[in-house]
Amino acid sequence: MMAQEPKNLQQLIPMAIENNAGLKASSLQVDKSDAMVENAFSFDKTQVYYNFDENNLTLSDAPLRVFGVQQDFRFPTVYFSERKLNKAKYALSENSYDIQEKGLERRLTAAYYSFQVAREKERVYKRLDSMYANFAKVAARRFELGETNYLEKITAASKQQQIHLNFKGAQKEVLAAYAEVLKTIQTKDSITIADEPVLKVLVTNVG
């Protein structure tokens, strides 16, 4: 199985627009409103009728048979008013679609960078976790050899434990942020998110 190509924000936005159910419904409404503008000047269908009346006789005493064609027309002002109204509805549906699309892009952008921050925080805490684990081991070994006191040993162990908890918390943040990206894109398939360069993350509770 080939590895997925990492996708950046510019590649994820079209996916979100294509998959979003609300946008699909809004797009159909735009198409419907556009069709109504074009159909404002459409006329009712021509009707062909036939009447047979035994009580209405011709000069030769035969029942009168009547054939005809009927076409209903409205005043021109009605057609122009209807077209104007439909154009207003079309503009409204277009604006509604644009607002929903921009809102979706904002939500995805926020979820995308939340994931970037969470992932970078996880990397930082992973390095710190490794460093403090080694530091705690060294402190414990020095205590065993009588080169340091008990306070230094438990201080090192306490700091290492706190960093490890922060690392585990950062991992959960990554999973939550990733799930939010998938939710916004509305896909059940896994995706690989590209790394954003030059991203600085403030890490607290280290020392």
Side-chain angles (χ1 to χ4, degrees):
M1 183 176 178
M2 295 181 62
Q4 288 186 340
E5 179 184 354
K7 290 180 172 57
N8 58 28
L9 181 60
Q10 287 67 37
Q11 293 169 312
L12 293 175
I13 287 176
M15 291 177 58
I17 292 174
E18 181 180 355
N19 294 339
N20 189 272
L23 275 180
K24 286 180 180 179
S26 184
S27 178
L28 290 175
Q29 184 60 45
V30 171
D31 293 340
K32 180 180 178 181
S33 299
D34 186 31
M36 289 176 64
V37 173
E38 299 302 322
N39 293 333
F41 285 95
S42 62
F43 304 108
D44 294 335
K45 291 182 179 180
T46 302
Q47 297 179 344
V48 178
Y49 62 87
Y50 164 72
N51 287 329
F52 176 78
D53 189 355
E54 294 182 351
N55 296 319
N56 193 1
L57 304 178
T58 63
L59 295 176
S60 60
D61 292 333
L64 185 64
R65 300 173 186 272
V66 180
F67 295 89
V69 177
Q70 179 176 324
Q71 175 70 62
D72 293 331
F73 294 96
R74 293 175 293 178
F75 286 108
T77 53
V78 175
Y79 293 107
F80 284 107
S81 296
E82 190 170 292
R83 179 177 174 83
K84 186 176 181 180
L85 176 61
N86 290 344
K87 288 181 71 174
K89 290 181 179 178
Y90 173 68
L92 184 63
S93 61
E94 263 198 329
N95 289 338
S96 176
Y97 179 86
D98 290 340
I99 290 172
Q100 290 184 57
E101 184 179 82
K102 287 181 173 59
L104 176 62
E105 289 183 16
R106 284 194 296 270
R107 292 195 301 274
L108 179 56
T109 299
Y112 178 83
Y113 281 105
S114 292
F115 173 79
Q116 295 289 340
V117 170
R119 182 160 61 180
E120 185 60 25
K121 185 189 294 186
E122 178 194 29
R123 289 169 179 159
V124 171
Y125 275 122
K126 184 178 181 179
R127 292 193 295 268
L128 290 174
D129 186 51
S130 178
M131 290 171 53
Y132 274 81
N134 291 333
F135 177 66
K137 288 179 181 178
V138 171
R141 181 58 179 164
R142 291 183 62 192
F143 175 75
E144 292 174 359
L145 297 175
E147 297 177 359
T148 186
N149 56 35
Y150 181 70
L151 179 62
E152 182 177 329
K153 174 191 173 183
I154 61 171
T155 299
S158 176
K159 287 184 177 181
Q160 191 275 325
Q161 185 178 21
Q162 181 60 53
I163 291 296
H164 186 70
L165 290 175
N166 290 342
F167 173 52
K168 291 297 182 182
Q171 287 180 316
K172 292 181 180 179
E173 288 182 27
V174 170
L175 293 176
Y178 181 75
E180 185 63 26
V181 171
L182 294 186
K183 177 183 174 183
T184 307
I185 297 176
Q186 292 191 359
T187 179
K188 295 181 180 179
D189 298 329
S190 62
I191 57 175
T192 302
I193 301 176
D195 285 327
E196 286 292 330
V198 196
L199 185 65
K200 294 182 179 180
V201 176
L202 178 63
V203 173
T204 57
N205 298 326
V206 174

